[in-house]
Amino acid sequence: MAQALTNQEVVERYARASAANDLEEMALLRHADWVSDWPQSGERVHGSEAYDEIRKHYPGGHPSTELSRVIGSEDRWVVTPGNTVLKVVGSGDVWWGEWRMTYPDGQLYHVIDLIELRDGLVRRETVYWAPPFEAAEWRRPFVEPTRRATDQDPR
């Protein structure tokens, strides 16, 4: 990249590229030593080439993603190419993104992506996936419902 980007700009561009399945842009924004850990399945992906192959070979086609927000420390709002408004916040080398992912079979998952930068590039990601579930009936007297787990995120 000709002009150095701020860490916030790197994370914003990376999140947009990921949501758009733009593997080339993602690779440009990754550090040469990039890895992604998937603790729930006990896997680590080394490098953009391996990640690209996983995305290309996903059974039934790659899941669709909707980025809800990217978090750090100072609030700012941006609009994605898909015309989705998202909150982007933060500074420093550690960020996280919140996603909703819909798999080809229709399953919905909430995703948290912990993003660590080095030398102005994405160096490491740790990604967690969780399916939504309905709140336990016994907690209703103690909580304020914000939405059903399967509803669209109101942000």
Side-chain angles (χ1 to χ4, degrees), residues 11-21 67 78-81 86 99:
V11 173
E12 287 174 3
R13 284 179 58 175
Y14 190 76
R16 286 185 183 128
S18 181
N21 200 30
L67 180 63
V78 297
V79 177
T80 68
L86 62 108
W99 302 79

Side-chain angles (χ1 to χ4, degrees), residues 53-130:
E53 290 302 314
I54 291 167
R55 299 240 347 204
K56 289 175 187 173
H57 290 92
Y58 194 90
H62 190 268
S64 65
T65 58
E66 176 187 337
L67 180 63
S68 300
R69 58 187 174 155
V70 176
I71 304 298
S73 65
E74 296 176 2
D75 286 345
R76 194 175 119 186
W77 297 88
V78 297
V79 177
T80 68
N83 207 28
T84 302
V85 176
L86 62 108
K87 185 179 359 180
V88 178
V89 286
S91 59
D93 292 333
V94 181
W95 297 71
W96 62 269
E98 183 180 317
W99 302 79
R100 289 170 50 91
M101 181 174 284
T102 305
Y103 285 88
D105 65 2
Q107 291 184 74
L108 173 67
Y109 275 70
H110 296 276
V111 182
I112 297 295
D113 186 0
L114 305 176
I115 302 167
E116 300 171 45
L117 291 103
R118 182 185 300 160
D119 303 326
L121 297 168
V122 177
R123 162 60 178 91
R124 180 186 189 121
E125 292 179 76
T126 305
V127 187
Y128 297 90
W129 293 267

Side-chain angles (χ1 to χ4, degrees), residues 2-57:
Q3 181 179 349
L5 300 172
T6 67
N7 285 351
Q8 181 172 340
E9 290 168 331
V10 168
V11 173
E12 287 174 3
R13 284 179 58 175
Y14 190 76
R16 286 185 183 128
S18 181
N21 200 30
D22 186 342
L23 302 177
E24 290 181 27
E25 177 75 358
M26 291 172 72
L28 288 174
L29 296 167
R30 287 182 178 146
H31 194 277
D33 295 330
W34 176 84
V35 297
S36 184
D37 287 325
W38 301 342
Q40 289 161 295
S41 61
E43 298 170 283
R44 175 174 287 163
V45 181
H46 289 273
S48 291
E49 288 181 20
Y51 182 80
D52 292 357
E53 290 302 314
I54 291 167
R55 299 240 347 204
K56 289 175 187 173
H57 290 92

Side-chain angles (χ1 to χ4, degrees), residues 100 102 106-110 131-135 147-153:
R100 289 170 50 91
T102 305
Q107 291 184 74
L108 173 67
Y109 275 70
H110 296 276
F133 57 89
E134 291 302 321
R147 62 182 170 86
R148 291 174 35 94
T150 55
D151 291 344
Q152 283 293 96
D153 191 339

